[in-house]
């Protein structure tokens, strides 16, 4: 039974041009016929021509395809190795970058904690200074009042003037400090 070019290309797994290259004038005259159907002309290859083409393409395909498969496997295997090495190098670089970023983040956290502690201590110092100034202002005013009284009343000792502020003033200091 005759076969068309399309059937041969699918069966042998080659292109139409490859089959046409193997058909010389003698082969065409002996084994190929032209068939017209529905306004389309088709090349029909006889059974003898089919068997000759089959022998040629089956033997050459096996040799060529085995070489190509082995070669492509070697290339693929080498490419996979190279790709794996490249990916491992990239992964190592990424790990190093992540470590550096983690260290800088830890340093930033440490600096932030130090900044917050410094702000807190400076705020406490300012509050202490304000409260001390308030106490000094209160004691200086009371001392000024006492000294005015002393001028008026000579019986008061100097030791009374040097007394510590009263407990009430101290309580106010502590209350203001821990609000």
């Amino acid at each position: 039974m005759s076969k068309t070019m399309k059937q041969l290309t699918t069966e042998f797994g080659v292109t139409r041009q490859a089959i046409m290259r193997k058909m010389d004038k003698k082969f065409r005259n002996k084994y190929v016929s032209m068939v017209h159907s529905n306004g389309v002309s088709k090349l029909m290859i006889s059974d003898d021509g089919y068997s000759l083409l089959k022998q040629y393409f089956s033997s050459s395909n096996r040799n060529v395809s085995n070489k190509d498969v082995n070669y492509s496997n070697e290339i693929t295997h080498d490419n996979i190795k190279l790709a794996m090495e490249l990916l491992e190098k990239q992964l190592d670089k990424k790990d190093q970058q992540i470590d550096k970023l983690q260290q800088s983040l830890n340093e930033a956290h440490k600096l932030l904690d130090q900044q917050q502690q410094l702000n807190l201590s400076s705020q406490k110092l300012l509050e202490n200074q304000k409260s001390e100034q308030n106490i000094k202002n209160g004691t200086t005013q009371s001392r000024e009042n006492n000294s005015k009284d002393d001028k008026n009343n000579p019986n008061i000792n100097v030791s009374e003037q040097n007394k510590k502020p009263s407990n009430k003033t101290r309580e106010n200091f502590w209350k203001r400090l821990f609000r």
Side-chain angles (χ1 to χ4, degrees):
M1 178 162 178
S2 298
K3 297 210 176 200
T4 63
M5 285 292 283
K6 189 171 187 173
Q7 292 171 338
L8 292 177
T9 57
T10 56
E11 188 174 325
F12 299 144
V14 294
T15 62
R16 184 175 192 268
Q17 290 82 8
I19 293 174
M20 291 298 283
R21 272 189 240 132
K22 299 306 168 199
M23 290 191 223
D24 57 357
K25 283 188 179 184
K26 290 181 188 177
F27 185 87
R28 284 186 189 163
N29 290 336
K30 244 186 193 183
Y31 303 112
V32 178
S33 63
M34 205 59 139
V35 177
H36 297 283
S37 63
N38 297 334
V40 178
S41 58
K42 295 181 181 180
L43 289 177
M44 298 294 285
I45 293 96
S46 66
D47 291 336
D48 294 334
Y50 167 74
S51 60
L52 288 173
L53 288 173
K54 185 176 180 180
Q55 287 175 355
Y56 175 77
F57 282 112
S58 64
S59 65
S60 66
N61 270 348
R62 285 185 191 144
N63 293 339
V64 171
S65 65
N66 286 341
K67 289 178 184 175
D68 288 341
V69 168
N70 290 337
Y71 180 70
S72 66
N73 282 342
E74 289 173 12
I75 289 176
T76 305
H77 187 64
D78 290 341
N79 286 343
I80 289 173
K81 282 184 180 179
L82 291 173
M84 289 296 291
E85 289 174 4
L86 177 66
L87 290 174
E88 286 175 355
K89 287 179 183 177
Q90 287 178 350
L91 186 61
D92 289 339
K93 286 181 182 178
K94 299 288 183 199
D95 287 343
Q96 290 173 354
Q97 289 174 349
I98 289 171
D99 289 340
K100 286 180 183 178
L101 287 174
Q102 191 67 33
Q103 287 175 353
S104 64
L105 184 64
N106 288 339
E107 289 175 12
H109 281 298
K110 196 182 284 184
L111 290 173
L112 183 62
D113 288 342
Q114 289 175 352
Q115 179 68 30
Q116 288 175 346
Q117 289 175 354
L118 182 63
N119 286 342
L120 182 64
S121 64
S122 63
Q123 188 177 11
K124 283 184 181 180
L125 282 174
L126 286 173
E127 288 178 3
N128 287 342
Q129 287 176 352
K130 285 182 182 179
S131 63
E132 286 176 6
Q133 285 178 356
N134 289 339
I135 291 172
K136 285 181 183 178
N137 289 340
T139 55
T140 54
Q141 287 177 358
S142 64
R143 286 184 181 170
E144 288 174 4
N145 290 339
N146 286 341
S147 63
K148 289 180 185 175
D149 290 341
D150 289 344
K151 291 179 185 175
N152 296 334
N153 193 357
N155 293 335
I156 298 176
N157 283 338
V158 177
S159 63
E160 288 180 15
Q161 290 178 355
N162 292 333
K163 280 186 180 177
K164 292 183 179 177
S166 68
N167 287 338
K168 191 174 189 181
T169 309
R170 284 187 185 175
E171 289 174 2
N172 289 339
F173 167 74
W174 290 108
K175 285 181 182 178
R176 278 185 265 136
L177 184 62
F178 290 106
R179 284 186 192 171

